[in-house]
Amino acid sequence: MDSPDQAEARVRLPQLRLDELLEELQARLDAARGTRDRVHSLLEAVLSVGRELDLEHVLHSIVEAAAALVDARYAALGVIGPDGKRLSAFHTVGVSEEQIARIGPYPEGHGILGELIRHPEPLRLPDLSEHAASYGFPAHHPPMRTFLGVPIRVRDQVFGNLYLTEKRGGAQFDEEDESVLSTLAVAAGVAIDNARLYEQSRLRERWLQANAEITHSLMSGSERGAALGLIAERAREITGAALAVLTMPMPDTDSLVVELATGQGAEDHRGLVLPIDDSLTGLAFATAEPVRSPDITRDARVSAAAPRFTGLGPAVAVPFGAADEGVRGVVLLVRQAGKAVFSAKETEPLQGFAAQAALAMELAERRRDAEQIAVLQDRDRIARDLHDLAIQRLFATGMTLQSAGRLIDNGSASERVLRAVDDLDETIKIIRSTIFGLRSRGTAAGAGLRGRTVRVVGEAAPVLGFAPSLRMEGLLDTEVPGRIAEHVVAVLSEALTNVARHARADRVAVALETDGREVRLSVTDNGVGIPSGGRRSGLRNLAERAAQLGGELRLTEPAGGGTALEWRAPVPDQG
């Protein structure tokens, strides 16, 4: 028989075992509850990410969900660029805007971040500074030790990587964290693919709407300038460009002229004349193919002396029309510095838009040509009727009156009849002049003021030793009469000749513009200026030409030296 102590020990031993079993059961229940909560959180994160359709919102939701799931203090999603070697975008959580500003530019994919780009597999580190690929942190960067990285794939292509650091509580990322994050990455790939498809669909719809708007504008009789402005503005809006510049070829020249510019710094581009050879826009025009530039401010095909692209970066020049049909023009789109370069996927719908716009312009011009032919045919009919009917009848009436005048004895009455005959002769002359005007087809092609100005500037280049810059604005060919245009061309030729002979300049800027009320020509050089005792016969001729037309000539000295010549004359109302 057991002693009382032995009986008490047997009672206490089962009680201890029961407590241990209960504690173990509680631990397993807590673990199961934690797993259930984590799975629930993962499902919520997957649903949250999948609900978004805007790509930027999707990416930000993925980063936030990843940080919450693995309890990380810092999280980031790096988007791999088109070259597959560096990051083109970086979305972060846990770092304030002030910290980002102090740290500087976002990483491009060196060190540990680049390790995942080169080897797209999950990477878990207890201390990232001990890894062989560790690159260190820039100044003002928050300290980071523990690390977990997972790639995100979209249709078997690596889109980017999730980077998580600093698990809260000082713990390290474990296998369960890696498994949860890998699951989220799969859902993120699907969400990103859906967002991109939606974005492409919406972008395609916007291009179609823009094409329909432009076609309707052109076919409803809108002015050509308004239609070109609509083309440039819609292309700029849809592509997210800061600047859109539309250039057109000048007849009988090897130059393009900027007919329209909209957006950042647009006023610095309007009216510029660009060579087809040796320029970014000219290359797109000559090859009938889009030409891209990662940074227009550093592109050798753009004049280094031109500050008009300050603050801008990626650019693309897209031609209108095709090489076999003749390129009608080029639209240049430029984004702000630091923005994404124009990809081939972006350029493709832009080409389609440009082709549709060119087709709409062609149809509108054909319609206007048909209307013009109808007007000319109507004029020919009127002229023929005037000649065959009105003039013949007036001539016959005049002959009858002249014959009748000889039979009138009263001198006063005879004089009145003869006066009437003279009036009929004058009327016949007026009608014949009108007929000639109706049958006139206008000036010859290439004889406009714009084309002549380009030729004069081009002919001056060999004499000067360099090509002057040229800017033209306004309806120079239609609003400046031929008589005044002759003076303008003569003044320009004389002014450039004076610069070549006397100025010893290495830079000349020519500007020609009209607002419908007056025409203004300016020629500015950086030479030695006009000597006080020099001959001024040439300048006197220029002043006399201006005075004949009611205008004036002004000579000033720019702040940097040289001479600024401004010649202006009023333009009569053409209405």
Side-chain angles (χ1 to χ4, degrees):
M1 186 173 179
D2 292 337
S3 66
D5 291 340
Q6 289 176 327
E8 184 180 353
R10 279 197 298 273
V11 172
R12 194 163 47 245
L13 185 59
Q15 182 68 37
L16 288 172
R17 288 177 178 173
L18 181 60
D19 290 343
E20 289 174 358
L21 288 172
L22 288 173
E23 287 178 2
E24 183 179 351
L25 179 60
Q26 184 64 43
R28 291 189 178 185
L29 287 172
D30 291 342
R33 189 179 296 110
T35 302
R36 182 198 66 188
D37 293 342
R38 196 159 199 187
V39 170
H40 186 264
S41 298
L42 177 60
L43 290 174
E44 283 188 343
V46 169
L47 291 173
S48 173
V49 167
R51 276 194 295 265
E52 295 286 351
L53 285 176
D54 182 83
L55 184 58
E56 291 296 315
H57 290 166
V58 168
L59 298 180
H60 192 71
S61 297
I62 292 170
V63 180
E64 288 184 331
L69 283 173
V70 299
D71 203 20
R73 184 175 180 183
Y74 304 109
L77 193 159
V79 180
I80 300 175
D83 61 358
K85 298 179 181 179
R86 63 185 65 195
L87 300 176
S88 62
F90 205 69
H91 303 266
T92 63
V93 166
V95 184
S96 67
E97 294 293 334
E98 293 78 8
Q99 286 177 301
I100 293 173
R102 288 199 301 270
I103 293 170
Y106 281 120
E108 295 184 355
H110 302 293
I112 298 296
L113 304 187
E115 185 70 15
L116 259 76
I117 297 176
R118 293 184 293 273
H119 307 288
E121 299 293 336
L123 179 64
R124 182 159 44 92
L125 302 172
D127 190 345
L128 56 83
S129 64
E130 296 179 358
H131 193 277
S134 180
Y135 198 80
F137 296 112
H140 308 294
H141 197 285
M144 296 179 181
R145 190 175 64 86
T146 55
F147 176 85
L148 175 60
V150 174
I152 297 176
R153 288 180 169 84
V154 177
R155 299 192 180 188
D156 297 328
Q157 297 291 324
V158 178
F159 173 83
N161 297 303
L162 276 171
Y163 307 109
L164 288 301
T165 62
E166 290 299 291
K167 188 175 178 69
R168 296 182 188 278
Q172 295 185 6
F173 296 106
D174 55 23
E175 291 183 5
E176 189 175 338
D177 292 327
E178 181 180 320
S179 177
V180 168
L181 203 61
S182 297
T183 304
L184 177 67
V186 173
V190 176
I192 290 170
D193 192 30
N194 288 338
R196 289 166 75 178
L197 289 173
Y198 175 74
E199 191 175 73
Q200 291 171 8
S201 174
R202 189 174 59 177
L203 191 62
R204 193 178 301 112
E205 183 181 356
R206 292 186 68 187
W207 282 123
L208 290 173
Q209 289 176 346
N211 273 322
E213 185 180 4
I214 290 164
T215 302
H216 179 268
S217 173
L218 284 165
M219 299 308 290
S220 61
S222 296
E223 290 293 330
R224 180 172 176 271
L228 292 178
L230 192 60
I231 291 171
E233 189 60 34
R234 291 296 175 268
R236 185 178 72 86
E237 290 175 357
I238 295 175
T239 59
L243 172 69
V245 179
L246 201 149
T247 57
M248 306 293 282
M250 298 188 66
D252 300 328
T253 69
D254 293 328
S255 303
L256 302 170
V257 62
V258 176
E259 290 214 3
L260 188 139
T262 178
Q264 182 177 328
E267 60 279 358
D268 295 329
H269 297 264
R270 296 188 185 111
L272 283 177
V273 176
L274 307 172
I276 291 179
D277 298 329
D278 202 28
S279 72
L280 181 72
T281 303
L283 181 60
F285 181 84
T287 61
E289 293 290 338
V291 179
R292 291 190 290 270
S293 173
D295 187 353
I296 198 166
T297 60
R298 299 180 182 178
D299 199 307
R301 295 165 295 187
V302 178
S303 173
R308 58 185 183 276
F309 293 112
T310 302
L312 300 175
V316 61
V318 180
F320 284 74
D324 55 342
E325 300 173 357
V327 178
R328 304 178 64 84
V330 178
V331 60
L332 174 70
L333 299 169
V334 191
R335 286 176 174 154
Q336 289 183 332
K339 295 292 185 179
V341 298
F342 287 90
S343 65
K345 288 186 177 180
E346 285 183 291
T347 308
E348 185 178 347
L350 184 57
Q351 282 181 270
F353 169 75
Q356 286 292 106
L359 179 60
M361 291 175 65
E362 178 74 19
L363 291 173
E365 288 180 5
R366 294 290 175 87
R367 183 178 60 82
R368 283 194 292 270
D369 288 345
E371 292 175 353
Q372 183 68 19
I373 289 172
V375 170
L376 293 175
Q377 288 176 341
D378 202 35
R379 287 183 177 180
D380 281 343
R381 180 187 60 77
I382 294 171
R384 187 169 57 252
D385 290 347
L386 285 173
H387 182 271
D388 295 344
L389 300 176
I391 289 183
Q392 299 303 325
R393 296 195 64 171
L394 287 173
F395 185 76
T397 303
M399 292 290 291
T400 302
L401 288 175
Q402 193 173 23
S403 299
R406 298 193 187 97
L407 304 175
I408 298 174
D409 295 331
N410 188 299
S412 177
S414 177
E415 186 179 349
R416 286 187 177 185
V417 170
L418 292 176
R419 252 198 326 265
V421 172
D422 292 339
D423 290 341
L424 286 174
D425 286 340
E426 283 298 317
T427 303
I428 290 171
K429 290 179 182 178
I430 292 171
I431 293 175
R432 280 178 173 162
S433 177
T434 302
I435 292 171
F436 179 80
L438 288 171
R439 287 177 170 169
S440 175
R441 292 297 189 270
T443 58
L449 180 54
R450 280 178 175 265
R452 296 173 67 187
T453 300
V454 172
R455 282 196 291 274
V456 170
V457 171
E459 291 167 358
V463 182
L464 290 166
F466 57 88
S469 67
L470 175 59
R471 177 193 299 274
M472 293 189 288
E473 289 190 43
L475 303 176
L476 295 167
D477 289 340
T478 57
E479 292 187 340
V480 181
R483 181 175 61 90
I484 298 178
E486 293 292 339
H487 285 282
V488 172
V489 173
V491 169
L492 176 59
S493 179
E494 178 72 18
L496 291 175
T497 301
N498 288 341
V499 172
R501 288 177 178 173
H502 311 296
R504 298 201 295 273
D506 59 14
R507 189 170 66 250
V508 176
V510 177
L512 178 61
E513 56 186 343
T514 182
D515 56 4
R517 294 186 296 272
E518 68 174 2
V519 59
R520 296 176 294 277
L521 170 68
S522 67
V523 180
T524 306
D525 66 72
N526 65 341
V528 298
I530 301 175
S532 57
R535 294 180 57 192
R536 293 177 174 259
S537 57
L539 295 176
R540 188 163 52 250
N541 291 337
L542 303 186
E544 289 175 356
R545 286 182 179 275
Q548 290 175 14
L549 301 172
E552 61 178 340
L553 172 70
R554 292 181 183 174
L555 295 172
T556 57
E557 183 177 340
T563 303
L565 178 149
E566 185 180 76
W567 187 94
R568 57 176 63 202
V571 173
D573 187 5
Q574 301 291 307

